[in-house]
């Protein structure tokens, strides 16, 4: 079956770095997405990886290893506004997104 | 970037009534739109895939007669929740895919919060 695993909740300190891991199993693979979702709002796109390696975009970076079925989202210089849920989603061979349950990130001052 | 709008953003209705939610791609043409439902503290659940000019493809367990989807144009898809009940209360989100199947990015609407009394 298809499955996405990511931690339910993480806590980090303002100004620090946090890494949110995601493992996936899908029927075929057409890329791995990370979305940020603030409470009560729709998800917003953060990153897309389809090749192995690290993609850096400002304070956020995303890494993919296709052979391991593994990705992580790295957030640097954490700010209070980064408190949100972070959703990992893998696109399968039918170009549909398989969603993880999300990781709630709590930032403490 | 591509913008997707949803209307209304919030709706409260009485049990037994029908509610229509619109999803529009504002600056691009979307051949495929997706309708999701999100339960509190849960991930998004894909309800159906809507292709312009053809019938929607519903996910297993989603009642097609209850959740009517119409994708009449390349910029508009509608979801009608018929004979709504309190258990239908949820956050409904649409997304639109730019281009064909080989185009991977989806753009999400802001969501519609439905409360059925």
């Amino acid at each position: 079956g298809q499955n996405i695993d990511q931690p339910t909740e993480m806590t980090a300190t303002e100004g620090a770095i946090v890494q949110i891991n995601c493992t996936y199993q899908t029927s075929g693979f057409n890329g791995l997405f990370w979305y940020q979702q603030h409470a009560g709002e729709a998800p917003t796109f953060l990153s897309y990886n389809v090749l192995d390696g690290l993609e850096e975009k400002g304070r956020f970076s995303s890494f993919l290893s296709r052979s391991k079925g593994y990705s992580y989202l790295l957030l640097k210089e954490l700010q209070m506004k980064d408190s949100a849920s972070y959703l990992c989603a893998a696109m399968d061979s039918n170009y549909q997104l398989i969603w993880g349950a999300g990781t709630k990130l709590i930032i403490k001052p | 970037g591509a913008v997707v709008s949803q209307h209304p953003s919030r709706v409260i209705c009485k049990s037994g009534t029908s509610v229509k939610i619109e999803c529009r791609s504002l600056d691009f043409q979307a051949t495929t739109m997706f309708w999701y439902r999100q339960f509190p503290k849960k991930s998004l659940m894909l309800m159906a895939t809507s292709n312009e000019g053809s019938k929607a493809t519903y996910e297993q367990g989603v009642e097609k007669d209850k959740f009517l989807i119409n994708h009449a144009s390349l910029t508009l898809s509608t979801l009608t929740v018929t004979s709504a009940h309190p258990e239908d209360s949820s956050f409904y989100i649409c997304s639109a895919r730019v281009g064909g199947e080989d185009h991977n990015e989806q753009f999400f609407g802001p969501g519609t919060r439905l409360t059925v009394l």
Side-chain angles (χ1 to χ4, degrees):
Chain A
Q2 307 201 102
N3 190 52
I4 306 287
D5 283 316
Q6 55 181 126
T8 304
E9 187 175 295
M10 298 182 72
T11 302
T13 306
E14 190 177 15
I17 299 173
V18 70
Q19 177 174 312
I20 303 174
N21 296 323
C22 170
T23 57
Y24 64 90
Q25 289 178 303
T26 54
S27 300
F29 180 74
N30 280 297
L32 192 291
F33 295 78
W34 283 97
Y35 287 85
Q36 181 191 62
Q37 186 180 26
H38 286 99
E41 299 179 9
T44 54
F45 173 78
L46 289 179
S47 67
Y48 170 67
N49 295 64
V50 69
L51 300 176
D52 286 353
L54 185 68
E55 296 272 348
E56 296 185 72
K57 196 183 291 185
R59 295 189 298 114
F60 293 3
S61 303
S62 56
F63 171 83
L64 176 67
S65 168
R66 295 181 63 151
S67 62
K68 296 181 179 178
Y70 166 70
S71 173
Y72 68 72
L73 179 70
L74 190 72
L75 293 78
K76 302 177 185 176
E77 300 169 18
L78 286 170
Q79 301 175 10
M80 297 303 293
K81 66 179 182 180
D82 297 329
S83 293
S85 285
Y86 290 86
L87 300 167
C88 170
M91 183 165 279
D92 67 11
S93 58
N94 293 319
Y95 294 93
Q96 289 200 330
L97 289 173
I98 312 301
W99 292 88
T103 298
K104 183 179 180 180
L105 178 62
I106 299 169
I107 310 294
K108 294 186 175 179
Chain B
V3 179
V4 175
S5 71
Q6 273 183 249
H7 177 81
S9 58
R10 289 180 183 272
V11 58
I12 301 172
C13 69
K14 292 182 179 179
S15 185
T17 60
S18 294
V19 175
K20 180 187 282 188
I21 303 170
E22 292 185 349
C23 178
R24 291 180 186 273
S25 56
L26 297 185
D27 50 1
F28 66 100
Q29 293 183 329
T31 53
T32 303
M33 289 184 171
F34 302 89
W35 285 97
Y36 295 86
R37 182 174 177 179
Q38 185 174 35
F39 295 94
K41 300 181 181 179
K42 302 277 187 183
S43 183
L44 296 178
M45 181 194 78
L46 178 65
M47 297 174 66
T49 301
S50 168
N51 293 297
E52 186 268 336
S54 63
K55 291 182 179 180
T57 303
Y58 289 81
E59 296 299 299
Q60 195 171 10
V62 178
E63 298 175 60
K64 59 181 66 177
D65 293 331
K66 181 168 184 62
F67 298 99
L68 301 177
I69 292 172
N70 183 279
H71 195 156
S73 76
L74 286 171
T75 60
L76 173 65
S77 176
T78 60
L79 167 68
T80 302
V81 182
T82 62
S83 187
H85 290 281
E87 57 264 31
D88 299 324
S89 298
S90 191
F91 196 47
Y92 293 87
I93 303 172
C94 74
S95 71
R97 183 167 64 198
V98 178
E101 280 192 356
D102 59 347
H103 205 109
N104 293 343
E105 194 168 6
Q106 292 185 25
F107 297 93
F108 285 86
T112 297
R113 185 162 299 283
L114 171 63
T115 303
V116 184
L117 302 177

